Every structure is written in structure tokens, then in C-alpha cells.
Amino acid sequence: LVKISISSKNRKTLISRMQRALSETSINGITTDLPVLLYILNQPEFNLGQYHTDYLTQRFEHFENIGEEPSEDEYKNFAIATATAYYFQRKLFRPVVPERLKSTWHQDSRKL
């Protein structure tokens, strides 16, 4: 999950900064909405602030060809990276119990 926040004093600069940030962002192995967001930022209506709640619905037909499907190698690399991360998380993660929870008084109160 990624959140990109941009700030600026005016809309034109804000959109330009967001376009740059999104175009420099790369996420491999999964489908993202980066191409859709870049498409929206490049639309004249959006840049002029002339959009509405049906904006995406009216332009949805353009979205089907935006972006590329990840290759088989990208899927494999993502699966390997995920399995490796899971392995090391399981191997290295050692939960720490705070001292205040080590006493048994809170456990005894639940036994009825």
C-alpha cells in the first residue's frame, strides 16, 4: 500500500508535481492504478478543475488499454520476493511481551 502526498500553493504546480512523482514511481509484480492516475492528471478537464462525480464513469472505456500486464518473469520474481520476505519474517520475528503484561493477574481474571 502506497500513499503519495503532494502539496503546492496552486493547482498547476500541484498537478505537475504529482505527475512527476507518479511517473517516477515503479511497482513491479502487481497491477497498480498508476497508469489510470497519470491518465486522469493529463486530462484537460481535470487540469481546469472541471470534473464531476461521473468523470471516471464517462471515461472508463479508455482504461482497458492503459498499462501493461506483468510478464511471467515479473510474476515469478514477485512470488520469490514474497516467499523470501515471509520466510525471514517468520524466522526473525520475536514478539516482545511488555513487562506489565507478564504478570498473570489479567489472565486469571478471564478464567471464570
Side-chain angles (χ1 to χ4, degrees):
L1 180 63
V2 176
K3 178 179 181 179
I4 299 175
S5 297
I6 305 293
S7 65
S8 178
K9 293 186 185 240
N10 64 62
R11 184 178 184 82
K12 184 177 179 181
T13 306
L14 180 83
I15 291 173
S16 175
R17 287 180 181 176
M18 183 58 86
Q19 286 172 324
R20 180 176 179 191
L22 292 176
S23 66
E24 293 177 357
T25 301
S26 176
I27 301 173
N28 296 319
I30 58 172
T31 304
T32 70
D33 61 356
L34 287 173
V36 174
L37 297 174
L38 283 167
Y39 171 84
I40 293 168
L41 290 172
N42 286 314
Q43 299 308 300
E45 300 93 353
F46 183 83
N47 285 291
L48 295 171
Q50 298 173 345
Y51 55 92
H52 45 79
T53 55
D54 284 336
Y55 183 78
L56 294 179
T57 306
Q58 292 177 354
R59 286 154 184 82
F60 190 77
E61 67 274 0
H62 299 291
F63 294 160
E64 63 189 33
N65 295 323
I66 295 176
E68 298 177 13
E69 186 70 23
S71 69
E72 187 174 332
D73 285 340
E74 288 176 315
Y75 279 122
K76 288 178 184 176
N77 290 339
F78 181 70
I80 291 168
T82 303
T84 303
Y86 178 78
Y87 169 79
F88 281 106
Q89 185 270 338
R90 298 282 295 175
K91 182 178 180 181
L92 300 176
F93 178 70
R94 302 281 185 256
V96 176
V97 178
E99 287 297 321
R100 65 183 175 80
L101 297 179
K102 287 185 179 177
S103 75
T104 59
W105 71 266
H106 67 283
Q107 294 171 357
D108 290 338
S109 66
R110 294 183 187 155
K111 296 177 185 174
L112 296 178

